[in-house]
Amino acid sequence: MKKIDPQVEEAVDTIGLNGIARRRLLSGAGMVSASAAAAALLSACSSSNKSDDSSSGDGVGDFPKTPKWKFVFVNHVTTNPFFTPTQYGAHDACALLGASFQWTGSKDSSVPEMVSAMTSAVTAKADGIAIAVVDKNAFTKPVDNALQAGIPTVAYNADGAKGDPGTSRLCYIGQDLYQSGVQMGRRIASLMPDGGDAVGFIATPGALNIQPRIDGATDAIKAAGASINFATVASGAELPKELSTVDAYSIGHKSLKGLFAVDAGSTEAVGKVMKKYGLKQKGVVAGGFDLNPNTLTAIKEGSLDFTIDQQPYLQGFLTVLYLWMYKLSGGLMMPSITDTGLLFVTKGNVDPYLQTKTRYEGSSTKQQLLKRSGPIAHA
């Protein structure tokens, strides 16, 4: 037998081969070079791994075979277009991981309906639950019941009040809502240096997916010392109601210098009203949240000055991924609090959103590979 480099012999010992396989490897590989040793070791590792039940190839990727786990999303506005990309994200993650999900809750922010939907999910022994915690008191017991039943439960999109999630959820996946409102308030102050009357529309006051935003905006405007009279107006949970409310308010308040909104539907309505009455040409500024296709068009046309992206697709995709990993690892992979971010979309950077219709903004059902080029903006 040829002389074996001690380092090669040590490496072979780490593979855990039986005595016969070890001797065959060392005697047959002719370990006279590092390249030969590497090739033999890789081959041995591959053979060893194939006999390991943990990477049998029966599951997705190199994961072991798992049940087709079913996760339940309990939502507060189930038909709102904002959540179209969230559902796409959940669908894509489920397709990737061999899971499924149910989209349920309330179409008009009825907390009792959401509690009922969550109770049904616990009774049905869902494999995981994601809840939009739009009320810091109503979901405390339902979440406790789910966890007591051994069902991992996370919050997404809304996480109770500032500093008080109101539940024992394992984690939150979504935007830091209060801080996003603060950033909006600072942008409003910069757009209205001479002050004046402004309004902030909110679909459902008190709902904790959007109330922290209006609170943050109000606090930031005050902190800026701007002479802005910032009123808040409830616009309703469904788009037709939001549009009629914004329209009527703008007609009745001719002194307005700023129209803003803290939810997707109201922002889209603000853009439509701004265009309808030519308010931009009259010196009115406007902005809001989220990437509804009509909102992006309004930005390109100049009817809206900005909108704020919170990446709703990730709120679906990551939620499924975290629940799946928790199940796979037997609870060892504890899901982590994840801020899905804040990005101001303006006329200067809206083109990429409009030039390509994607699932990520909910503007297309198509699965596609998107290519980009050039430098990436520095954070």
Side-chain angles (χ1 to χ4, degrees):
M1 181 174 176
K2 297 177 181 178
K3 184 177 180 181
I4 306 300
D5 188 307
Q7 291 183 336
V8 172
E9 195 163 9
E10 181 180 352
V12 170
D13 287 338
T14 67
I15 300 175
L17 299 176
N18 61 38
I20 295 175
R22 180 181 184 278
R23 285 194 298 274
R24 285 177 177 171
L25 173 63
L26 292 177
S27 63
M31 304 295 185
V32 295
S33 70
S35 60
L41 288 173
L42 284 173
S43 176
C45 285
S46 177
S47 298
S48 176
N49 284 341
K50 286 178 182 177
S51 66
D52 186 346
D53 290 340
S54 67
S55 59
S56 63
D58 291 335
V60 295
D62 284 336
F63 289 113
K65 187 175 182 179
T66 66
K68 188 172 182 178
W69 290 315
K70 182 177 181 179
F71 306 120
V72 177
F73 282 72
V74 180
N75 190 259
H76 49 291
V77 282
T78 53
T79 60
N80 192 298
F82 166 80
F83 285 106
T84 297
T86 305
Q87 293 177 73
Y88 285 156
H91 176 275
D92 290 350
C94 283
L96 186 68
L97 300 171
S100 66
F101 79 99
Q102 178 187 3
W103 187 259
T104 185
S106 172
K107 70 175 184 178
D108 54 6
S109 291
S110 169
V111 171
E113 288 181 5
M114 296 177 68
V115 171
S116 177
M118 187 163 183
T119 300
S120 296
V122 174
T123 301
K125 299 180 180 180
D127 293 301
I129 297 174
I131 174 73
V133 185
V134 296
D135 184 300
K136 74 171 185 177
N137 299 314
F139 300 105
T140 303
K141 185 63 174 175
V143 170
D144 286 346
N145 290 342
L147 295 175
Q148 188 63 32
I151 301 173
T153 303
V154 300
Y156 75 104
N157 187 254
D159 192 38
K162 178 189 175 186
D164 182 10
T167 71
S168 299
R169 86 294 188 265
L170 300 182
C171 77
Y172 168 62
I173 304 107
Q175 188 178 70
D176 185 323
L177 299 171
Y178 178 80
Q179 285 301 319
S180 71
V182 168
Q183 293 299 319
M184 179 187 199
R186 291 172 179 168
R187 180 63 64 101
I188 290 172
S190 69
L191 289 171
M192 299 179 62
D194 298 326
D197 294 333
V199 60
F201 293 101
I202 175 171
T204 47
L208 295 179
N209 62 311
I210 47 180
Q211 186 65 45
R213 289 176 178 166
I214 206 81
D215 292 341
T218 301
D219 290 348
I221 290 169
K222 290 178 179 177
S227 55
I228 298 173
N229 177 30
F230 189 66
T232 60
V233 173
S235 53
E238 297 186 61
L239 190 55
K241 173 63 175 174
E242 290 172 303
L243 180 57
S244 62
T245 299
V246 174
D247 194 308
Y249 191 89
S250 67
I251 292 174
H253 297 77
K254 301 295 186 182
S255 64
L256 283 172
K257 296 298 182 184
L259 276 71
F260 303 97
V262 293
D263 60 273
S266 297
T267 299
E268 180 176 324
V270 165
K272 289 179 178 179
V273 169
M274 288 285 294
K275 181 179 180 179
K276 179 179 180 179
Y277 298 112
L279 297 181
K280 176 59 64 175
Q281 290 72 32
K282 298 177 182 178
V284 180
V285 293
F289 277 82
D290 303 323
L291 303 179
N292 286 14
N294 287 331
T295 294
L296 295 172
T297 298
I299 292 208
K300 179 65 175 179
E301 294 174 345
S303 299
L304 290 175
D305 291 277
F306 68 85
T307 193
I308 296 174
D309 181 17
Q310 60 172 311
Q311 299 195 104
Y313 180 93
L314 289 181
Q315 294 178 21
F317 188 93
L318 292 179
T319 296
V320 168
L321 177 62
Y322 288 177
L323 289 172
W324 193 85
M325 287 300 303
Y326 184 90
K327 296 287 291 184
L328 178 72
S329 68
L332 293 178
M333 291 292 291
M334 182 65 69
S336 58
I337 293 175
T338 303
D339 184 351
T340 55
L342 180 153
L343 174 70
F344 279 96
V345 178
T346 65
K347 195 168 186 177
N349 64 352
V350 73
D351 282 348
Y353 294 93
L354 288 170
Q355 290 169 354
T356 305
K357 305 296 183 182
T358 77
R359 292 170 67 84
Y360 311 117
E361 285 75 50
S363 55
S364 172
T365 63
K366 184 180 179 181
Q367 295 282 13
Q368 56 189 311
L369 172 63
L370 303 175
K371 296 183 179 181
R372 69 166 307 280
S373 60
I376 297 174
H378 298 193

